[in-house]
Amino acid sequence: MRLTLNVLSGPAAGRKLALQPQQSVTIGRTRPANLAIPEDSLLSGAHFRITYQPKGWTLEDLNSRNGTLLNGRKISRAPLSDGDRISAGEALVEVSIESGPSSRAAQPVASILRKQGPLFALLDAARERSILELLEEDIDAEYDCLYEGKSATDLAAWAPYLVSLPSESSLLDVLVERGWGKSWGVYLTSAKSLADVRRHLRHFLIVTMANGKEGYFRFYDPRVLRVYLPACTPDESKAFFGPIDAYLMESEKPQQLLRFTPGTHECERQAIAVKGAAD
């Protein structure tokens, strides 16, 4: 049950913030508010909090100086519904609440991925423009662009992004629900840190083509990677895996998850059936 806050007016107008059920947010004028709006003098330091309870999302005023209004009524604590509007200080915030993952493939795929070990997603923002929005809106998401310098700035909307996905991450459910079977990217497991995995993967961004020119290697596209890995020589496979224990991705059909691991002579391919996946 994902919640998105869209600030409609006030100094922070245009800002968006997405929350998953495991998350909460405090909004106010100063830190330690998760969303601080120092330009809004009518906000208290910590003005209101939104948390997820067993029955749904809850709004709580934190004894603010000027109070918190929900749909025009002053509240101390109240449940939130899709379409509600929160007024605090100069800010008017619209609430959007989405239902949880509903596709037949989402839950089984996410469950399989969570069992593989320390998990990362390598996502292609050029494939789907909302990928970067999902990462930016998730206050707990740990991610980084594979590009650096000017390329990271100029090509931010089309770049590949490495995302850490702890076992409790609900972002994984969102990514699978929306992107499974649509070539949004690939998943991988490694005991190394995000910085270490990113450093390793950056070695493969640029390749020299047959005509001698350099170009980007889109190994983060499952349609490319599931063909490339079986064709690797033992040395190429060893280099490409490095600190990575496994690459995981959709097959040509979403009913199947492919798992590639380094082998003695060549990488090993395992096809895992996804129960309940749609055609």
Side-chain angles (χ1 to χ4, degrees):
M1 188 181 288
R2 183 170 179 264
L3 177 144
T4 301
L5 300 176
N6 183 15
V7 184
L8 301 178
S9 64
R15 292 181 67 176
K16 288 186 177 183
L17 185 66
L19 300 174
Q20 306 296 339
Q22 291 90 341
Q23 301 170 326
S24 63
V25 65
T26 299
I27 295 178
R29 185 168 45 83
T30 60
R31 298 293 181 183
N34 304 107
L35 177 56
I37 311 174
E39 304 88 353
D40 192 338
S41 61
L42 299 180
L43 282 178
S44 295
H47 199 104
F48 67 86
R49 178 188 297 122
I50 294 175
T51 56
Y52 187 78
Q53 306 295 331
K55 293 185 178 180
W57 292 98
T58 298
L59 170 67
E60 178 185 5
D61 180 76
L62 300 175
N63 298 316
S64 64
R65 182 175 66 253
N66 296 313
T68 301
L69 304 182
L70 178 62
N71 300 322
R73 297 180 60 184
K74 192 171 184 178
I75 60 94
S76 58
R77 185 182 180 89
L80 286 172
S81 300
D82 184 48
D84 280 349
R85 291 195 170 189
I86 302 167
S87 299
E90 297 179 60
L92 177 62
V93 182
E94 186 175 58
V95 176
S96 175
I97 299 176
E98 302 174 11
S99 60
S102 58
S103 78
R104 287 187 293 164
Q107 293 290 3
V109 171
S111 178
I112 292 170
L113 290 172
R114 280 193 170 94
K115 295 175 182 178
Q116 301 302 311
L119 188 68
F120 297 85
L122 186 54
L123 304 171
D124 183 5
R127 181 68 179 169
E128 171 55 51
R129 299 298 294 272
S130 66
I131 287 174
L132 186 53
E133 292 179 4
L134 286 173
L135 299 180
E136 291 174 339
E137 290 174 359
D138 191 319
I139 60 174
D140 288 337
E142 182 187 4
Y143 65 94
D144 203 350
C145 180
L146 252 59
Y147 296 163
E148 286 187 347
K150 193 171 186 296
S151 294
T153 302
D154 294 346
L155 302 175
W158 300 275
Y161 288 85
L162 181 67
V163 189
S164 176
L165 295 170
S167 58
E168 71 278 6
S169 172
S170 53
L171 178 59
L172 172 61
D173 297 297
V174 177
L175 293 174
V176 172
E177 164 69 15
R178 297 191 181 188
W180 187 254
K182 299 178 183 177
S183 302
W184 275 27
V186 301
Y187 296 87
L188 56 96
T189 61
S190 176
K192 297 294 185 179
S193 67
L194 183 142
D196 288 339
V197 175
R198 176 182 178 272
R199 190 178 302 112
H200 170 73
L201 293 174
R202 276 184 48 77
H203 291 125
F204 307 98
L205 282 173
I206 304 296
V207 295
T208 302
M209 295 179 286
N211 59 8
K213 294 182 179 181
E214 291 186 338
Y216 285 110
F217 177 28
R218 298 177 59 82
F219 59 87
Y220 38 85
D221 186 328
R223 296 168 298 181
V224 174
L225 193 58
R226 64 187 180 223
V227 174
Y228 171 74
L229 285 174
C232 283
T233 66
D235 287 343
E236 289 171 339
S237 178
K238 182 179 179 180
F240 192 75
F241 274 92
I244 295 168
D245 299 315
Y247 287 98
L248 305 113
M249 68 207 73
E250 64 208 41
S251 181
E252 291 82 354
K253 294 184 178 181
Q255 304 99 318
Q256 201 174 64
L257 182 152
L258 300 180
R259 182 175 185 267
F260 291 92
T261 54
T264 305
H265 302 293
E266 57 186 20
C267 75
E268 297 179 357
R269 176 185 182 275
Q270 179 187 10
I272 302 173
V274 178
K275 296 180 180 179
D279 291 333

